[in-house]
Amino acid sequence: MGRFVSTAALVLVLAGLGGYIYYLDHKSPEAADGAKEKPFEAVKGDDIEEIQITASGESTRLKKSGTTWSIVEPVQAEADAGEISSITSSLSSFEVGRVIDEKPADLKGFGLEPARIDVRFKGKGQATERRLLLGDKTATGGDLYGKLPDSPRVFLASSFLESTFNKSTFALRDKAVLKVDRQKADGLDLKRGSTQLTLAKSGESWTIVKPIAARADYAAVEGAIERLSSAQMQALAENQNAPAKQFGFDTPSATLTIKTGSSNATLTLGKTENAVVFAKDASRPLIFTVAPTLEIGNWMVAPRSPPGGASATK
């Protein structure tokens, strides 16, 4: 009987503790006027011009010129517009949750010394940077511990900010494989070994120019161009200065060129390794990997029956 009572008491204590933790993690009381504190509310997302994010073991600094964002450190590259838009929007709308500790004796227990995620930014015309520190997730994972540098208090911040701010330099860069306006595409060249397929667009129709003259499948060609123009890098190759042979570029598995008037955008595919394909854009020295689904096998261009009943190659 005594053992049963002890067990029951222990269950009640654990249940109470679990409920208390849940309460702490999810209760975010509002200010007296019913509104939550927004420390960066005066800074509009579109007015932010500089950002520095330290997370995932890297520090990345970005600057805005006109309407375009670029990474300036540790490399120079175009930034991912979608990622930056999410970051600037989240900063301007950031809300302070419930205060956990007004004057904590130790910030390490919250993952805030040093902060796991450190976000610094400046708005238009601002000489002083603003800063947001984010630490570990709470016990239930529902929130993050947060802090502002000009205040000792530790508060709760929404857990969705983890995916917004916890970004490496690669995650923040523009990962488009080719820079091309698919709406203006009027030609497509595909080379695979000794086989070459050349297509041209006239009006709203696509035709095969080589190796035979035939009508092409419009949906298939447009789908191929869409895949190429929207393809994303998976990662950067580790040794950018390695010989071309190491990546298979001495004998490419395929070369894909989209033509837009007098301009060409060419993607060269090398060898497949560890379920990814090495690739490079002819206009840049950068070597990266792409998903194997971009590796074009027999292709998806399926011409309709050409004039005279001639056979068509895929």
Side-chain angles (χ1 to χ4, degrees), residues 174-194:
D174 182 1
K175 294 173 284 297
V177 164
L178 287 178
K179 292 292 185 181
V180 63
D181 185 348
R182 63 174 299 270
Q183 300 299 328
K184 296 180 180 179
D186 56 12
L188 185 62
D189 280 348
L190 317 171
K191 295 180 181 179
R192 186 178 179 85
S194 60

PDB file of all heavy atoms in Angstrom, residues 174-194:
ATOM      1  N   ASP A 174      22.127  33.107 -53.341  1.00  0.00           N
ATOM      2  CA  ASP A 174      21.251  32.733 -54.446  1.00  0.00           C
ATOM      3  C   ASP A 174      21.764  31.417 -55.014  1.00  0.00           C
ATOM      4  O   ASP A 174      22.905  31.325 -55.467  1.00  0.00           O
ATOM      5  CB  ASP A 174      21.282  33.831 -55.514  1.00  0.00           C
ATOM      6  CG  ASP A 174      20.351  33.531 -56.680  1.00  0.00           C
ATOM      7  OD1 ASP A 174      19.667  32.490 -56.656  1.00  0.00           O
ATOM      8  OD2 ASP A 174      20.311  34.332 -57.623  1.00  0.00           O
ATOM      9  N   LYS A 175      20.914  30.394 -55.013  1.00  0.00           N
ATOM     10  CA  LYS A 175      21.347  29.066 -55.418  1.00  0.00           C
ATOM     11  C   LYS A 175      20.838  28.673 -56.803  1.00  0.00           C
ATOM     12  O   LYS A 175      20.859  27.488 -57.157  1.00  0.00           O
ATOM     13  CB  LYS A 175      20.903  28.057 -54.360  1.00  0.00           C
ATOM     14  CG  LYS A 175      21.610  28.254 -53.017  1.00  0.00           C
ATOM     15  CD  LYS A 175      21.041  27.376 -51.925  1.00  0.00           C
ATOM     16  CE  LYS A 175      19.714  27.891 -51.404  1.00  0.00           C
ATOM     17  NZ  LYS A 175      19.817  29.225 -50.765  1.00  0.00           N
ATOM     18  N   ALA A 176      20.391  29.660 -57.582  1.00  0.00           N
ATOM     19  CA  ALA A 176      19.921  29.367 -58.930  1.00  0.00           C
ATOM     20  C   ALA A 176      21.060  28.793 -59.767  1.00  0.00           C
ATOM     21  O   ALA A 176      22.169  29.323 -59.767  1.00  0.00           O
ATOM     22  CB  ALA A 176      19.375  30.626 -59.593  1.00  0.00           C
ATOM     23  N   VAL A 177      20.795  27.710 -60.468  1.00  0.00           N
ATOM     24  CA  VAL A 177      21.808  27.052 -61.284  1.00  0.00           C
ATOM     25  C   VAL A 177      22.142  27.878 -62.531  1.00  0.00           C
ATOM     26  O   VAL A 177      23.304  28.019 -62.915  1.00  0.00           O
ATOM     27  CB  VAL A 177      21.318  25.641 -61.679  1.00  0.00           C
ATOM     28  CG1 VAL A 177      22.138  25.079 -62.818  1.00  0.00           C
ATOM     29  CG2 VAL A 177      21.377  24.709 -60.474  1.00  0.00           C
ATOM     30  N   LEU A 178      21.114  28.435 -63.171  1.00  0.00           N
ATOM     31  CA  LEU A 178      21.296  29.272 -64.351  1.00  0.00           C
ATOM     32  C   LEU A 178      20.529  30.573 -64.196  1.00  0.00           C
ATOM     33  O   LEU A 178      19.450  30.598 -63.606  1.00  0.00           O
ATOM     34  CB  LEU A 178      20.791  28.560 -65.613  1.00  0.00           C
ATOM     35  CG  LEU A 178      21.616  27.407 -66.191  1.00  0.00           C
ATOM     36  CD1 LEU A 178      20.903  26.832 -67.408  1.00  0.00           C
ATOM     37  CD2 LEU A 178      23.019  27.852 -66.578  1.00  0.00           C
ATOM     38  N   LYS A 179      21.091  31.656 -64.720  1.00  0.00           N
ATOM     39  CA  LYS A 179      20.408  32.939 -64.723  1.00  0.00           C
ATOM     40  C   LYS A 179      19.791  33.125 -66.105  1.00  0.00           C
ATOM     41  O   LYS A 179      20.471  33.416 -67.084  1.00  0.00           O
ATOM     42  CB  LYS A 179      21.402  34.077 -64.439  1.00  0.00           C
ATOM     43  CG  LYS A 179      21.949  34.068 -63.033  1.00  0.00           C
ATOM     44  CD  LYS A 179      20.878  34.399 -62.031  1.00  0.00           C
ATOM     45  CE  LYS A 179      21.432  34.501 -60.636  1.00  0.00           C
ATOM     46  NZ  LYS A 179      20.400  34.805 -59.646  1.00  0.00           N
ATOM     47  N   VAL A 180      18.494  32.915 -66.188  1.00  0.00           N
ATOM     48  CA  VAL A 180      17.834  32.987 -67.486  1.00  0.00           C
ATOM     49  C   VAL A 180      16.371  33.377 -67.300  1.00  0.00           C
ATOM     50  O   VAL A 180      15.732  32.987 -66.318  1.00  0.00           O
ATOM     51  CB  VAL A 180      17.954  31.631 -68.228  1.00  0.00           C
ATOM     52  CG1 VAL A 180      17.248  30.521 -67.459  1.00  0.00           C
ATOM     53  CG2 VAL A 180      17.404  31.721 -69.638  1.00  0.00           C
ATOM     54  N   ASP A 181      15.853  34.167 -68.231  1.00  0.00           N
ATOM     55  CA  ASP A 181      14.439  34.520 -68.245  1.00  0.00           C
ATOM     56  C   ASP A 181      13.731  33.522 -69.139  1.00  0.00           C
ATOM     57  O   ASP A 181      13.783  33.622 -70.380  1.00  0.00           O
ATOM     58  CB  ASP A 181      14.253  35.945 -68.768  1.00  0.00           C
ATOM     59  CG  ASP A 181      12.804  36.419 -68.701  1.00  0.00           C
ATOM     60  OD1 ASP A 181      11.907  35.581 -68.465  1.00  0.00           O
ATOM     61  OD2 ASP A 181      12.563  37.627 -68.897  1.00  0.00           O
ATOM     62  N   ARG A 182      13.102  32.544 -68.545  1.00  0.00           N
ATOM     63  CA  ARG A 182      12.498  31.456 -69.332  1.00  0.00           C
ATOM     64  C   ARG A 182      11.416  31.949 -70.272  1.00  0.00           C
ATOM     65  O   ARG A 182      11.129  31.318 -71.293  1.00  0.00           O
ATOM     66  CB  ARG A 182      11.948  30.371 -68.421  1.00  0.00           C
ATOM     67  CG  ARG A 182      10.828  30.776 -67.501  1.00  0.00           C
ATOM     68  CD  ARG A 182      10.289  29.556 -66.758  1.00  0.00           C
ATOM     69  NE  ARG A 182       9.757  28.567 -67.653  1.00  0.00           N
ATOM     70  CZ  ARG A 182       8.488  28.539 -68.041  1.00  0.00           C
ATOM     71  NH1 ARG A 182       7.640  29.453 -67.621  1.00  0.00           N
ATOM     72  NH2 ARG A 182       8.071  27.596 -68.861  1.00  0.00           N
ATOM     73  N   GLN A 183      10.792  33.093 -69.955  1.00  0.00           N
ATOM     74  CA  GLN A 183       9.746  33.626 -70.822  1.00  0.00           C
ATOM     75  C   GLN A 183      10.312  34.095 -72.163  1.00  0.00           C
ATOM     76  O   GLN A 183       9.582  34.197 -73.152  1.00  0.00           O
ATOM     77  CB  GLN A 183       9.033  34.789 -70.120  1.00  0.00           C
ATOM     78  CG  GLN A 183       8.368  34.422 -68.805  1.00  0.00           C
ATOM     79  CD  GLN A 183       7.294  33.363 -68.958  1.00  0.00           C
ATOM     80  OE1 GLN A 183       6.620  33.288 -69.990  1.00  0.00           O
ATOM     81  NE2 GLN A 183       7.129  32.534 -67.937  1.00  0.00           N
ATOM     82  N   LYS A 184      11.620  34.389 -72.178  1.00  0.00           N
ATOM     83  CA  LYS A 184      12.248  34.872 -73.415  1.00  0.00           C
ATOM     84  C   LYS A 184      13.004  33.774 -74.145  1.00  0.00           C
ATOM     85  O   LYS A 184      13.649  34.032 -75.168  1.00  0.00           O
ATOM     86  CB  LYS A 184      13.203  36.023 -73.092  1.00  0.00           C
ATOM     87  CG  LYS A 184      12.498  37.256 -72.518  1.00  0.00           C
ATOM     88  CD  LYS A 184      13.503  38.360 -72.227  1.00  0.00           C
ATOM     89  CE  LYS A 184      12.808  39.595 -71.662  1.00  0.00           C
ATOM     90  NZ  LYS A 184      13.782  40.676 -71.348  1.00  0.00           N
ATOM     91  N   ALA A 185      12.968  32.557 -73.643  1.00  0.00           N
ATOM     92  CA  ALA A 185      13.707  31.454 -74.258  1.00  0.00           C
ATOM     93  C   ALA A 185      13.184  31.184 -75.667  1.00  0.00           C
ATOM     94  O   ALA A 185      11.986  31.036 -75.885  1.00  0.00           O
ATOM     95  CB  ALA A 185      13.587  30.199 -73.404  1.00  0.00           C
ATOM     96  N   ASP A 186      14.125  31.139 -76.635  1.00  0.00           N
ATOM     97  CA  ASP A 186      13.727  30.862 -78.014  1.00  0.00           C
ATOM     98  C   ASP A 186      14.608  29.789 -78.664  1.00  0.00           C
ATOM     99  O   ASP A 186      14.530  29.544 -79.865  1.00  0.00           O
ATOM    100  CB  ASP A 186      13.758  32.134 -78.859  1.00  0.00           C
ATOM    101  CG  ASP A 186      15.117  32.834 -78.843  1.00  0.00           C
ATOM    102  OD1 ASP A 186      16.094  32.220 -78.376  1.00  0.00           O
ATOM    103  OD2 ASP A 186      15.195  33.993 -79.294  1.00  0.00           O
ATOM    104  N   GLY A 187      15.462  29.157 -77.854  1.00  0.00           N
ATOM    105  CA  GLY A 187      16.294  28.087 -78.377  1.00  0.00           C
ATOM    106  C   GLY A 187      16.796  27.186 -77.271  1.00  0.00           C
ATOM    107  O   GLY A 187      16.908  27.606 -76.117  1.00  0.00           O
ATOM    108  N   LEU A 188      17.069  25.937 -77.626  1.00  0.00           N
ATOM    109  CA  LEU A 188      17.544  24.970 -76.640  1.00  0.00           C
ATOM    110  C   LEU A 188      18.463  23.978 -77.321  1.00  0.00           C
ATOM    111  O   LEU A 188      18.104  23.382 -78.346  1.00  0.00           O
ATOM    112  CB  LEU A 188      16.350  24.240 -76.009  1.00  0.00           C
ATOM    113  CG  LEU A 188      16.618  23.266 -74.862  1.00  0.00           C
ATOM    114  CD1 LEU A 188      17.229  23.987 -73.669  1.00  0.00           C
ATOM    115  CD2 LEU A 188      15.325  22.570 -74.438  1.00  0.00           C
ATOM    116  N   ASP A 189      19.689  23.845 -76.792  1.00  0.00           N
ATOM    117  CA  ASP A 189      20.655  22.876 -77.301  1.00  0.00           C
ATOM    118  C   ASP A 189      20.944  21.845 -76.221  1.00  0.00           C
ATOM    119  O   ASP A 189      21.222  22.209 -75.067  1.00  0.00           O
ATOM    120  CB  ASP A 189      21.978  23.554 -77.684  1.00  0.00           C
ATOM    121  CG  ASP A 189      21.904  24.227 -79.036  1.00  0.00           C
ATOM    122  OD1 ASP A 189      20.923  23.983 -79.759  1.00  0.00           O
ATOM    123  OD2 ASP A 189      22.829  24.994 -79.363  1.00  0.00           O
ATOM    124  N   LEU A 190      20.909  20.587 -76.591  1.00  0.00           N
ATOM    125  CA  LEU A 190      21.183  19.495 -75.653  1.00  0.00           C
ATOM    126  C   LEU A 190      22.249  18.598 -76.252  1.00  0.00           C
ATOM    127  O   LEU A 190      22.093  18.092 -77.367  1.00  0.00           O
ATOM    128  CB  LEU A 190      19.909  18.672 -75.400  1.00  0.00           C
ATOM    129  CG  LEU A 190      18.611  19.460 -75.202  1.00  0.00           C
ATOM    130  CD1 LEU A 190      17.415  18.529 -75.194  1.00  0.00           C
ATOM    131  CD2 LEU A 190      18.689  20.239 -73.907  1.00  0.00           C
ATOM    132  N   LYS A 191      23.363  18.434 -75.537  1.00  0.00           N
ATOM    133  CA  LYS A 191      24.432  17.569 -75.997  1.00  0.00           C
ATOM    134  C   LYS A 191      24.675  16.478 -74.971  1.00  0.00           C
ATOM    135  O   LYS A 191      24.800  16.747 -73.776  1.00  0.00           O
ATOM    136  CB  LYS A 191      25.720  18.366 -76.208  1.00  0.00           C
ATOM    137  CG  LYS A 191      25.640  19.403 -77.320  1.00  0.00           C
ATOM    138  CD  LYS A 191      26.956  20.141 -77.472  1.00  0.00           C
ATOM    139  CE  LYS A 191      26.877  21.207 -78.562  1.00  0.00           C
ATOM    140  NZ  LYS A 191      28.167  21.939 -78.694  1.00  0.00           N
ATOM    141  N   ARG A 192      24.736  15.266 -75.466  1.00  0.00           N
ATOM    142  CA  ARG A 192      25.028  14.125 -74.594  1.00  0.00           C
ATOM    143  C   ARG A 192      25.904  13.162 -75.379  1.00  0.00           C
ATOM    144  O   ARG A 192      25.424  12.476 -76.280  1.00  0.00           O
ATOM    145  CB  ARG A 192      23.750  13.448 -74.128  1.00  0.00           C
ATOM    146  CG  ARG A 192      23.975  12.336 -73.111  1.00  0.00           C
ATOM    147  CD  ARG A 192      22.642  11.750 -72.664  1.00  0.00           C
ATOM    148  NE  ARG A 192      22.836  10.677 -71.724  1.00  0.00           N
ATOM    149  CZ  ARG A 192      22.991  10.822 -70.418  1.00  0.00           C
ATOM    150  NH1 ARG A 192      22.955  12.041 -69.916  1.00  0.00           N
ATOM    151  NH2 ARG A 192      23.177   9.803 -69.639  1.00  0.00           N
ATOM    152  N   GLY A 193      27.204  13.159 -75.049  1.00  0.00           N
ATOM    153  CA  GLY A 193      28.127  12.346 -75.832  1.00  0.00           C
ATOM    154  C   GLY A 193      28.194  12.882 -77.251  1.00  0.00           C
ATOM    155  O   GLY A 193      28.386  14.074 -77.481  1.00  0.00           O
ATOM    156  N   SER A 194      27.990  11.999 -78.228  1.00  0.00           N
ATOM    157  CA  SER A 194      28.016  12.409 -79.637  1.00  0.00           C
ATOM    158  C   SER A 194      26.637  12.834 -80.137  1.00  0.00           C
ATOM    159  O   SER A 194      26.493  13.233 -81.295  1.00  0.00           O
ATOM    160  CB  SER A 194      28.533  11.240 -80.492  1.00  0.00           C
ATOM    161  OG  SER A 194      27.674  10.110 -80.354  1.00  0.00           O
TER     162      SER A 194
END
